[in-house]
C-alpha cells in the first residue's frame, strides 16, 4: 500500500489528480515497543494473568489485544491480588506507587519509558537543589502524575501560557522547568517563553524533555500537511501525542484533520472534494491500523501512498532489568534440564 517517492506509482486518469502521502516516521516509538513487548514476554514467562497498572500505552487496540492474551488492566494497585505480578505502564509511576507495591509484596516490572525516567531524575535533581519546578503538561495525565510524585513539594503544574500569571514561587532566582514528553513542541516553547518573561533566571532542563519520537512525528506531519485537503491521524483519544498531531497538522496548513482509532471511524463525507490525503499515526499505534486506513482509501479510488521520509529512527531500549533477569534464569534452567 506504500510507494516510495523515488518510484512514483502509475496512476489511472481518474486517480491522476489524487495523492496519498504517508508520514515517515510514524507509529511505534522505542518506548512503546519496549512496553508492549514487556507485557507479551511477561505473559509468556509467568503465564496469565499478568496485571498492568493503567493502560500500558494509550491505544485501545493494543490494550484489547493484550487483554485477549491474559493481561488484566487495573487503575490502582489495590485491585491486584497480593503477591501477583504487575507491570507499570510506559508513562511512569510515582515513588508512592512503588511503596504501595512493596507493601503488598507485588512482583513489579517497571516498563516506564527511559525518556520519562530521565524527566523523573531531573525532577529529583532540581528538587534536591531546592528549585521550584514548573512542570508543563496536562492535568490528570499519568506521566504528569508520576513525575510530580517525585517531588510534590517542589513541583507545580503549568498547562499553558494562560497559567503563567498565577505562578507563585519562593525565589524567582531558583525556578526550573520540565515538561511532559508527549506535548506539542511549538506550544511547549510558547509556554516556556511566557514563563521566562516572568522569571528571567528560569533554568532549562539539561536536555530536551519532549521525546525524539514525538518531535519526529510532529516534524513529519508538518511536511505532509501543508498542502493536504485532509489529514488522518491514527491514534486513540487518550493519546496525548496523537491528539497533538491533529493540532500540528492544522497549524501547518491542512484544510481539515481528524483523529481515528482505525479505518472504521473514517467518515466518507470527509473525502468529498478531497485530492490529497495525508496519513500518520501516533507513537503507540500498531502499523496494521495505518494499513487499514490506506486500504480504506484505496477502495475509494485513492492511489498507493507515497512515503515522505523526514527522519530516520534506530533507537532501541533494553527490556526492564527485572524481566531480563527472569528471562535469563528461565533460559539457564531450560539448558540445565
Amino acid at each position: 500500500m506504500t510507494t516510495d517517492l523515488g518510484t512514483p506509482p502509475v496512476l489511472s486518469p481518474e486517480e491522476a489528480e489524487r495523492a496519498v502521502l504517508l508520514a515517515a516516521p510514524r507509529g511505534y516509538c522505542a518506548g512503546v515497543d519496549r512496553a508492549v513487548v514487556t507485557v507479551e514476554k511477561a505473559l509468556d514467562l509467568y503465564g496469565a494473568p499478568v496485571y498492568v497498572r493503567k493502560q500500558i500505552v494509550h491505544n485501545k487496540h493494543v490494550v484489547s489485544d493484550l487483554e485477549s492474551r491474559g493481561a488484566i488492566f487495573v487503575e490502582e494497585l489495590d485491585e491486584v491480588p497480593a503477591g501477583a505480578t504487575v507491570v507499570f505502564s510506559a508513562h511512569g509511576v510515582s515513588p508512592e506507587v512503588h511503596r504501595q507495591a512493596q507493601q503488598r509484596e507485588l512482583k513489579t516490572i517497571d516498563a516506564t519509558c527511559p525518556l520519562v525516567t530521565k524527566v523523573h531524575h531531573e525532577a529529583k535533581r532540581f528538587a534536591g537543589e531546592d528549585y521550584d519546578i514548573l512542570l508543563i503538561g496536562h492535568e490528570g495525565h499519568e506521566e504528569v502524575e508520576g513525575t510530580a510524585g517525585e517531588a510534590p513539594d517542589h513541583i507545580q503544574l503549568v498547562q499553558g501560557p494562560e497559567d503563567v500569571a498565577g505562578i507563585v514561587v519562593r525565589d524567582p532566582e531558583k525556578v526550573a522547568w520540565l515538561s511532559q514528553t508527549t506535548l506539542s513542541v511549538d506550544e511547549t516553547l510558547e509556554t516556556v517563553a511566557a514563563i521566562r518573561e516572568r522569571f528571567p533566571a528560569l533554568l532549562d532542563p539539561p536536555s530536551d524533555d519532549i521525546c525524539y519520537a514525538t518531535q519526529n512525528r510532529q516534524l513529519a506531519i508538518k511536511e505532509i500537511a501543508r498542502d493536504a485537503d485532509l489529514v488522518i491521524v491514527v491514534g486513540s483519544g487518550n493519546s496525548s501525542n496523537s491528539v497533538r498531531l491533529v493540532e500540528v497538522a492544522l497549524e501547518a496548513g491542512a484544510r481539515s484533520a481528524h483523529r481515528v482509532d482505525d479505518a472504521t471511524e473514517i467518515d466518507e463525507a470527509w473525502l468529498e472534494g478531497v485530492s490529497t490525503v495525508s496519513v500518520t499515526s501516533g507513537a503507540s499505534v500498531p502499523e496494521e491500523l495505518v494499513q487499514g486506513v490506506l486500504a480504506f482509501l484505496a477502495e475509494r479510488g485513492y492511489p498507493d501512498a507515497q512515503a515522505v521520509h523526514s527522519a530516520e529512527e534506530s533507537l532501541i531500549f533494553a527490556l526492564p532489568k527485572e524481566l531480563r533477569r527472569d528471562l535469563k534464569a528461565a533460559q539457564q534452567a531450560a539448558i540445565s534440564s
Side-chain angles (χ1 to χ4, degrees), residues 113-318:
C113 175
L115 300 180
V116 174
T117 300
K118 176 183 76 72
V119 180
H120 283 219
H121 290 325
E122 291 167 353
K124 288 187 284 188
R125 182 173 70 83
F126 283 143
E129 296 172 2
D130 204 29
Y131 276 81
D132 280 319
I133 304 166
L134 307 180
L135 176 58
I136 302 171
H138 299 300
E139 186 173 7
H141 192 282
E142 291 103 296
E143 184 185 326
V144 166
E145 292 176 350
T147 301
E150 293 287 358
D153 295 334
H154 288 79
I155 292 178
Q156 56 185 298
L157 181 64
V158 179
Q159 297 197 76
E162 66 280 0
D163 289 350
V164 172
I167 294 173
V168 177
V169 299
R170 294 166 300 159
D171 180 356
E173 298 299 312
K174 294 205 70 174
V175 183
W177 71 273
L178 298 172
S179 81
Q180 182 181 328
T181 63
T182 54
L183 300 180
S184 159
V185 177
D186 295 337
E187 289 180 8
T188 301
L189 293 177
E190 181 184 354
T191 302
V192 171
I195 295 171
R196 201 178 301 279
E197 279 191 24
R198 280 204 62 196
F199 308 106
L202 181 69
L203 187 63
D204 296 325
S207 60
D208 196 345
D209 283 347
I210 297 177
C211 88
Y212 78 96
T214 297
Q215 295 189 53
N216 285 348
R217 279 148 191 71
Q218 290 176 15
L219 289 171
I221 196 60
K222 287 179 181 179
E223 287 282 327
I224 63 173
R226 293 189 185 99
D227 300 317
D229 300 306
L230 170 66
V231 170
I232 297 175
V233 175
V234 187
S236 290
N238 62 339
S239 167
S240 177
N241 73 86
S242 297
V243 172
R244 298 287 85 71
L245 286 172
V246 174
E247 297 171 354
V248 171
L250 292 170
E251 290 166 1
R255 292 173 180 80
S256 66
H258 300 277
R259 180 202 55 78
V260 298
D261 265 295
D262 54 49
T264 66
E265 295 186 355
I266 298 174
D267 185 341
E268 296 210 31
W270 298 344
L271 299 175
E272 292 179 9
V274 166
S275 296
T276 302
V277 182
S278 293
V279 179
T280 191
S281 58
S284 52
V285 177
E287 179 62 15
E288 62 260 28
L289 299 180
V290 175
Q291 294 304 315
V293 168
L294 299 181
F296 177 96
L297 293 171
E299 290 167 2
R300 285 149 184 84
Y302 286 84
D304 285 355
Q306 300 173 348
V308 180
H309 297 272
S310 59
E312 295 296 328
E313 294 180 351
S314 58
L315 185 63
I316 298 174
F317 293 135

Side-chain angles (χ1 to χ4, degrees), residues 44-84:
D44 292 341
L45 183 60
Y46 309 122
V50 167
Y51 292 83
V52 184
R53 184 184 180 274
K54 307 291 187 180
Q55 291 190 356
I56 186 67
V57 296
H58 285 161
N59 185 271
K60 72 176 189 179
H61 289 279
V62 172
V63 169
S64 178
D65 178 62
L66 292 173
E67 283 178 331
S68 72
R69 301 187 191 194
I72 297 176
F73 292 86
V74 300
E75 285 299 305
E76 298 300 342
L77 293 184
D78 58 12
E79 301 172 57
V80 181

